[in-house]
Amino acid sequence: MAGPLLPDLMARIEAKYRVHRWWEIDDRAGFLARHGPAIRGIATSGRHGATRDMISSLPALEVIVSFGVGVDPIDMAGARQHGVVVANTPGVLDDCVADTALALMLSVSRRICELDRFVRAGRWRKESPPMGRKLGGRRCGILGLGNIGRQIARRAEAFGMEIAYHNRSPRADAPAHYLYCADVHALARESDILVLSLPGGGDTRKLVDQRVIDALGPQGILVNVSRGSVVDQDALVLALREGRLAGAGLDVFENEPDVPAALCAMEQVVLSPHIGSSTVETRQAMAELVLANLDGWFEHRRVLTPVA
Ligand code: 8YV
């Protein structure tokens, strides 16, 4: 086990498998020499991942089962090279991550957190609360119209928003009234709120840079429920500070759990600690899928949800 998972999930895995807790091992070289050749699986998460070194130092490794949909911290090339099957937890978290995106969109647009602070500080007695902006009638741009992106689009439409999106190619099953934009910059230009729901990793690193942020513009809002690595965080902080972007709703950051003090000080920013999928129901479903993938492999040599 690469790092701590939910206590109940850890207990259930440990009841069935012989588990070594990687994060509790001090002498890793000695451990690998002793136990490495017998280790057949890695249980990990979108946070702990599995490095190239880890994969190549386990000659009997067959499977990596991850808690989470994002596989960016797993060395997929190394896994492929060593013929190791990787399974994640897609599908079961789409609703909750999409709900988180909408919660952030609404919180930033309607200034909910800022106005919460306004009430608590007793300012209501002396001042009129500042106005928010309506979601309906504005355009929601979705960068990454995958399964999560589709759920975000459905919800944004229910709030009266128009939908635009960018994927590497138009999605054949996307509703015809969704506006397809050929690149990220064009999508930002067409969007009032730009929501990031694409995979992290090398291919998407800092895709949302200063140019994209400026295309979103001074009335624009950026919402990120994907990975912090997708955004040039320094450029984002600067744009917010200079009023070149109206606000941001961020669930993910470049260097979690560190969040720049500058962001924490901004009224127009809503911050959450990577809780996209974090509901009792969804985390339970993710845990069940992790177990089903592990058991599927070791009982039938077939995981339920392999990463392509
Ligand atoms: C999890 C996630 O919080 O699914 C993902 O990719 O980022 C989240 O659902 C994470 O994987 C658990 O650490």
Side-chain angles (χ1 to χ4, degrees):
M1 197 174 284
L5 302 175
L6 292 179
D8 180 59
L9 176 59
M10 288 191 359
R12 289 172 71 189
I13 297 175
E14 284 176 337
K16 205 156 175 185
Y17 298 89
R18 171 118 198 267
V19 174
H20 301 281
R21 296 181 169 204
W22 181 245
W23 69 102
E24 290 178 357
I25 296 164
D26 293 327
D27 173 19
R28 290 186 168 172
F31 167 83
L32 285 174
R34 254 191 332 278
H35 299 286
I39 292 177
R40 296 169 61 200
I42 296 178
T44 188
S45 73
R47 179 155 167 229
H48 309 307
T51 62
R52 173 164 290 254
D53 278 357
M54 208 187 258
I55 294 169
S56 58
S57 59
L58 301 174
L61 188 65
E62 298 166 17
V63 70
I64 298 172
V65 173
S66 186
F67 179 92
V69 70
V71 291
D72 45 305
I74 298 175
D75 180 30
M76 290 299 294
R80 246 174 250 124
Q81 191 190 328
H82 290 90
V84 174
V85 171
V86 181
N88 60 348
T89 59
V92 293
L93 44 66
D94 301 344
D95 279 341
C96 280
V97 179
D99 289 351
T100 303
L102 264 291
L104 291 171
M105 287 163 67
L106 279 164
S107 302
V108 177
S109 264
R110 300 297 304 272
R111 309 172 84 143
I112 299 296
C113 297
E114 179 186 346
L115 291 170
D116 174 272
R117 291 187 288 268
F118 176 94
V119 172
R120 288 168 197 258
R123 290 171 56 193
W124 197 6
R125 292 181 207 292
K126 300 164 246 158
E127 293 170 57
S128 324
M131 279 186 270
R133 295 288 306 266
K134 183 177 174 179
L135 285 191
R138 298 168 84 200
R139 188 180 275 149
C140 176
I142 298 178
L143 182 54
L145 194 72
N147 296 337
I148 293 171
R150 281 296 296 272
Q151 292 302 327
I152 295 170
R154 278 188 54 203
R155 284 158 173 73
E157 279 201 286
F159 280 90
M161 299 190 82
E162 288 173 35
I163 304 298
Y165 76 100
H166 170 71
N167 281 12
R168 266 176 288 199
S169 50
R171 196 175 151 146
D173 61 354
H177 61 278
Y178 288 8
L179 173 70
Y180 176 73
C181 298
D183 60 59
V184 187
H185 189 262
L187 177 67
R189 220 173 34 224
E190 296 291 346
S191 304
D192 298 301
I193 299 183
L194 180 63
V195 186
L196 312 181
S197 53
L198 71 169
D203 291 351
T204 58
R205 194 166 305 282
K206 298 202 176 170
L207 196 57
V208 176
D209 57 9
Q210 189 203 315
R211 200 169 147 263
V212 171
I213 293 168
D214 283 337
L216 191 53
Q219 302 295 325
I221 290 172
L222 182 74
V223 168
N224 191 0
V225 289
S226 135
R227 287 290 182 263
S229 60
V230 174
V231 177
D232 181 338
Q233 195 167 272
D234 293 339
L236 173 64
V237 170
L238 204 62
L240 286 162
R241 192 180 270 157
E242 293 175 351
R244 285 183 286 110
L245 186 69
L250 306 171
D251 187 48
V252 287
F253 303 87
E254 198 173 294
N255 190 23
E256 295 172 12
D258 295 338
V259 176
L263 282 178
C264 295
M266 288 176 182
E267 287 282 19
Q268 75 276 36
V269 168
V270 176
L271 308 168
S272 54
H274 200 145
I275 44 96
S277 66
S278 179
T279 62
V280 172
E281 296 82 358
T282 289
R283 288 282 164 94
Q284 179 65 35
M286 291 162 70
E288 295 301 337
L289 194 45
V290 164
L291 281 165
N293 277 324
L294 265 179
D295 292 347
W297 181 260
F298 287 110
E299 285 164 21
H300 314 289
R301 299 195 76 73
R302 200 176 57 85
V303 295
L304 260 66
T305 46
V307 179

